[in-house]
Amino acid sequence: MRPAGDPEIAALVTAQQRELREADGGLDGQATVTRDDIHYLAVVLNERAVACGGVQALDSGTGEIKRMYVRPAFRGRGIGRQLLVALEELAFQQGHHTVCLETGSYLPAAIALYISCGYAPIPVYGEYVDNPYSVCFAKRLPLAA
């Protein structure tokens, strides 16, 4: 687990935000700040962080997956899927029984990943309510075996 201030996490989040600005045409209202209450995981290959994601508590039983990102050169290798599983495990370890997330309607690959991993669409919530491009998903985490 890495803190929000970790330089590699910050670099990945900056790259993610840059890519999102290009994909969404520079929509207003997109957050670009890492938050201290997000617990991050990084995927490291050859001593370089190539992907990241975090979990933030929404309430005692619900965690939100935040800032999932895989560098373009490393996509298509299953890294995002493995990272999502690890983030779900982290959320479970933190006591969450449900995880939710938000993504952009202009990111079909992300949407396909979440649906294929068992996430179901839910109404837009919280800070995303006024963003017409936000789509939200949730998944109930299985109980430990």
Side-chain angles (χ1 to χ4, degrees), residues 8-118:
E8 288 186 304
I9 295 296
L12 286 165
V13 169
T14 298
Q16 177 207 36
Q17 294 300 304
R18 188 177 315 113
E19 191 172 324
L20 287 175
R21 291 300 72 71
E22 292 170 7
D24 70 15
L27 295 174
D28 290 333
Q30 298 285 344
T32 58
V33 186
T34 57
R35 294 176 47 161
D36 291 338
D37 59 343
I38 300 174
H39 298 97
Y40 284 94
L41 297 179
V43 176
V44 178
L45 296 175
N46 298 321
E47 300 181 23
R48 179 179 181 219
V50 299
C52 71
V55 175
Q56 177 183 6
L58 288 182
D59 59 43
S60 63
T62 307
E64 182 178 17
I65 306 272
K66 304 286 281 186
R67 304 279 184 237
M68 256 202 63
Y69 180 71
V70 178
R71 289 191 184 276
F74 295 90
R75 293 180 188 161
R77 301 180 189 188
I79 292 171
R81 185 173 303 276
Q82 292 174 342
L83 176 59
L84 187 56
V85 169
L87 290 167
E88 291 170 359
E89 178 62 29
L90 176 60
F92 183 80
Q93 290 172 1
Q94 293 176 340
H96 303 302
H97 53 77
T98 301
V99 287
C100 58
L101 58 87
E102 180 271 350
T103 192
S105 59
Y106 49 85
L107 298 171
I111 292 169
L113 171 66
Y114 300 136
I115 290 171
S116 74
C117 288

